[in-house]
Amino acid sequence: MNHRPAVLTGTYYMTGDEACAEGALAAGCRFFGAYPITPATEIAEHMSIRLPEVGGTFIQMEDEIGAMASILGAAWSGRKSMTATSGPGFSLMMENIGLGVVTETPCVVVNVQRGGPSTGLPTMTGQADMMQVRWGSHGDYEIIALAPASAQEIFYLTITAFDLSETYRTPVFIMTDEVIGHMSEKVVIPEAAAIKPRTRPKPKGRKDRFLLYKPDKNGVAPMPAAGQGYHVHVTGLTHDEKGYPVMAVEAQEQMMARLTRKILDNRADIIRTEGQQLDDAEIVLVSYGISARTSRAAMVQARARGMKVGLLRLITVWPFCENQIRELSERVRGFVTVEINLGQVHLEVQRCAGARAACHLVGHAGGTVITPEQVIAKIEEAF
């Protein structure tokens, strides 16, 4: 067996799926549980080879329900854990994703999106799970979802996903797509010393007085690992700060306030966007993932034709950059949302822009990328 290091410093030509796996290893991921499914299988294949090299564990589970359950269990053993899936596999994970949210279990879930619903287009691209990741499990909750636009970016955003997951004790999602996952590009992996992964807050003080869900100043409770001598009770039922089930309205309100506020109160740390040519823009393209790359090409071509167009690229899709859209809506003529679905993030742009700016959509039901020409046609219509 090879014994390559966890951080493969150097310059490579690799797919987005492979870069995601390398980013996870660089972040300290040492457990991966998954069930193979196109177009996410290459992440599992890569992790099955690399994890044994660094002392980690790879398990192919019986299905995606088991895969999601396995990474929650691994997280409570003290490991950083991840799974990867797509389409119907993501749907099967939804119940245990809710369990991860309510038990405040740090882990990373990668969805390499394809055309749906159901089996849909297994080998072709899509971006139609963006509302499912936000609202797919039952009950109210807040989540964090990132959308990389290149193989290089998915390497770094996988590290970021682990950092956010560890910091806020919650599942974090990487919402990539088939094109980014399968496209081979240059990826530069830095020296290991340049990567400084965050770790979950550890408890201090007497173990017999420890409260599993009593938050610190940032709204997040410290988290021990099983076997460290803390008496912990982990349940999907509504619970108090000890973790004990409490069937009362007051307990539900307190628990839900903690689950939602730890995300909403830290939006400044979580939300990442990239703006291009926004200062004088009259029309702003809003996009993410592979669609942001064709949107940028459309912006450049539109500018060459004298149209003042800017691009707001969503790196963090959830929580949504509400304030940024509202501020832009005060001074731009309109927005054009570009995404490979029938208007999911477009709904959020409409909600935040209100009646202050017109909102347009360039989207379709999946299977191929949106071309710059399609975006330019909508820009001309918007002007």
Side-chain angles (χ1 to χ4, degrees), residues 20 63-64 79 112 114 123 135 156 162 173 211 213 217 223 239 282 284 295-296 312 314 340 352 354 359:
C20 177
D63 56 30
E64 288 85 351
R79 294 290 184 102
V112 188
R114 68 193 206 187
T123 62
W135 301 109
Y156 281 116
F162 274 100
F173 300 86
L211 297 175
Y213 294 107
K217 292 180 180 178
M223 179 181 175
H239 46 263
E282 297 180 40
V284 173
S295 296
R296 184 182 182 282
L312 179 64
L314 309 181
I340 308 173
C352 297
C359 295

Side-chain angles (χ1 to χ4, degrees), residues 324-333 335 353 356-357:
Q324 201 166 4
I325 294 293
R326 289 194 177 100
E327 290 169 6
L328 285 167
S329 70
E330 297 285 352
R331 59 181 174 84
V332 303
R333 182 179 299 187
F335 297 93
R356 295 180 294 277

Side-chain angles (χ1 to χ4, degrees), residues 233 235 237-240 243-247:
H233 188 277
T235 176
L237 289 166
T238 294
H239 46 263
D240 59 16
Y244 293 176
V246 179
M247 300 297 101

Side-chain angles (χ1 to χ4, degrees), residues 201-236:
K202 299 292 192 302
K204 301 175 182 176
R206 290 179 53 172
K207 293 182 177 179
D208 61 338
R209 295 183 178 178
F210 174 69
L211 297 175
L212 186 58
Y213 294 107
K214 183 179 181 180
D216 276 347
K217 292 180 180 178
N218 69 344
V220 183
M223 179 181 175
Q228 290 182 331
Y230 293 89
H231 301 295
V232 299
H233 188 277
V234 182
T235 176

